[in-house]
Amino acid sequence: MAGALLRNRYFDELSATPGLAWMGQNTNHIPAHPAVLAAMHAAVDGLEFNAYAPPLGFEALRAAIIADLGLPGAEALVTEGGVNALALVCRARCRSGTTFVTTDPTWKWPCLFARQAGAEVIEIPIYDPACAYRLTPEALRAAVDARTAIIYIVDPNNPLGICYTREEIAAFAAIAGEVGALLVHDCTYRDFADGHHPALLEAPEHAVVSLSFSKWLGLAGLRIGALVAPAALLEEFADQATGVLGASVIAQRAALAGLAVKPEWMEGVRATTRANNAMIHTAACAIPGFSVPVWPSHGNFLVVETEAAQIRPEALVEAARREGIMIRQGSYHTARFGHRFVKISTSVPGEWVEKLADRLPALVETARSLNDITPQF
């Protein structure tokens, strides 16, 4: 069976599992804010879905995105998920003879888009305590040259959960400027972090920011995100957009309502997420051979190392799946380091985390007995 069909059936089976605890995709499953639900219901009741949205997004939402980031003068292009924002950037800048420079681990899909456009992908290894699990300016400078079209930084890093400082972002921006590259700052998890600093503040002419409403607001299934770019670059990226008829009207209304209540909403989401992170950290560290290499995490997820316990990540994922819990194997994120860890998402109801924490010792024992594992994606 073709890989695409296998992937689809795998996730279809997960989607059809009653009461599944989704703890592997960093999605937010905390019950939605009433204002967001009301905005979606109003859009449906008003039959707004009968018409297309403006191609760049509703002006009110575009303005709210810019205000939320604190980037006056920039422009927002609303996309069907953050992944589409990254895809159009890759289409605009990547071609044969160029390089796309990122870290390992990183988020895999922009690497795919860059390769599809003909670029060489250079992944700088950062899964190492010697560099504190983060990209250094020295390592970045050694990996770029005049061929570099894009420098792609996921911040906080997915899956590691490290967050870069203002000084580090400024250094990355300066290096991008030196070689004429576009600095792409994937800020999907910025709302879970302390001290996050958008790259456009440091490179207002050669940086862009990608955003998602999947993680902080829980709109993964509605597919809405944004690319925020200098005004002078907007047309270049808008010309690459495939969503020329606008993102979902209902999703945009939900996103706008979410931004209006964001301070109060995120206060509760962050508190729940951090309590869940702590619960998983405690449970994992109680298993002989397990460890959490990055603590605390600035994301709504944790990396849990299983290698020292001689537990295959895929086996632990399968053991959890059998008990209605979805976590993710490290190989989804990195071929080089994926054998070392699983990733667990934590912006979820506390009872899901309690179930995983309580069952973790038994899941480890089940994982030890598993040999043949079906393909996981």
Side-chain angles (χ1 to χ4, degrees):
M1 185 182 297
L5 291 175
L6 278 172
R7 286 192 295 273
N8 200 72
R9 291 187 181 184
Y10 178 78
F11 279 104
D12 189 70
E13 289 177 5
L14 290 176
S15 300
T17 301
L20 181 70
W22 290 91
M23 298 179 64
Q25 294 184 296
N26 306 342
T27 44
N28 189 339
H29 298 269
I30 296 170
H33 193 286
V36 175
L37 292 176
M40 287 192 284
H41 285 299
V44 171
D45 293 342
L47 303 180
E48 287 194 77
F49 52 82
N50 289 151
Y52 297 118
L56 299 182
F58 287 118
E59 289 295 323
L61 178 56
R62 296 179 63 239
I65 290 169
I66 297 301
D68 181 60
L69 276 170
L71 295 172
E75 294 285 354
L77 168 57
V78 178
T79 58
E80 294 167 318
V83 67
N84 277 2
L86 295 165
L88 64 88
V89 169
C90 291
R91 284 197 295 271
R93 292 294 176 101
C94 293
R95 56 188 57 87
S96 179
T98 67
T99 65
F100 174 99
V101 178
T102 188
T103 59
D104 185 5
T106 189
W107 198 44
K108 63 188 291 183
W109 300 117
C111 298
L112 171 66
F113 302 147
R115 291 189 180 100
Q116 288 173 336
E120 174 190 357
V121 174
I122 298 173
E123 296 177 271
I124 304 169
I126 63 170
Y127 200 112
D128 187 346
C131 63
Y133 300 97
R134 58 204 304 120
L135 178 65
T136 65
E138 294 75 20
L140 179 60
R141 184 170 279 108
V144 301
D145 56 29
R147 300 174 302 147
T148 305
I150 288 176
I151 297 170
Y152 173 61
I153 306 294
V154 188
D155 176 34
N157 178 272
N158 175 23
L160 288 170
I162 61 93
C163 182
Y164 292 105
T165 65
R166 176 176 183 172
E167 290 73 23
E168 288 170 319
I169 293 296
F172 301 155
I175 292 168
E178 290 167 11
V179 298
L182 180 72
L183 178 59
V184 179
H185 195 186
D186 184 339
C187 298
T188 296
Y189 303 98
R190 66 181 289 266
D191 300 293
F192 297 95
D194 291 328
H196 190 272
H197 188 69
L200 266 168
L201 292 172
E202 301 298 328
E205 296 180 350
H206 63 274
V208 296
V209 166
S210 66
L211 299 171
S212 171
F213 289 87
S214 297
K215 317 306 183 189
W216 72 269
L217 195 55
L219 302 184
L222 287 175
R223 310 308 307 128
I224 181 154
L227 182 73
V228 179
L233 299 183
L234 179 69
E235 290 293 335
E236 175 189 358
F237 301 125
D239 285 347
Q240 299 296 323
T242 56
V244 294
L245 299 178
S248 161
V249 170
I250 296 170
Q252 291 195 59
R253 296 304 189 199
L256 187 57
L259 287 170
V261 297
K262 188 173 184 179
E264 69 169 275
W265 168 247
M266 283 308 299
E267 182 179 359
V269 169
R270 282 166 59 104
T272 297
T273 300
R274 292 185 176 187
N276 289 341
N277 281 358
M279 198 183 315
I280 293 297
H281 180 266
T282 298
C285 291
I287 303 291
F290 276 29
S291 62
V292 177
V294 175
W295 181 255
S297 170
H298 285 272
N300 58 331
F301 46 82
L302 286 178
V303 159
V304 176
E305 289 197 337
T306 66
E307 185 180 28
Q310 297 183 322
I311 296 294
R312 291 174 55 206
E314 289 80 6
L316 188 60
V317 168
E318 173 59 16
R321 186 197 65 80
R322 293 180 181 187
E323 298 208 20
I325 302 169
M326 187 262 191
I327 59 176
R328 180 147 265 170
Q329 69 282 2
S331 60
Y332 173 83
H333 289 281
T334 166
R336 184 183 291 162
F337 303 111
H339 63 284
R340 295 170 61 173
F341 68 92
V342 296
K343 183 193 71 178
I344 301 172
S345 306
T346 54
S347 54
V348 300
E351 55 266 29
W352 292 9
V353 178
E354 291 172 5
K355 177 182 178 181
L356 177 57
D358 290 344
R359 297 295 298 155
L360 190 57
L363 296 178
V364 169
E365 292 309 308
T366 299
R368 291 191 190 280
S369 69
L370 297 178
N371 294 314
D372 297 326
I373 308 296
T374 57
Q376 297 169 344
F377 304 99

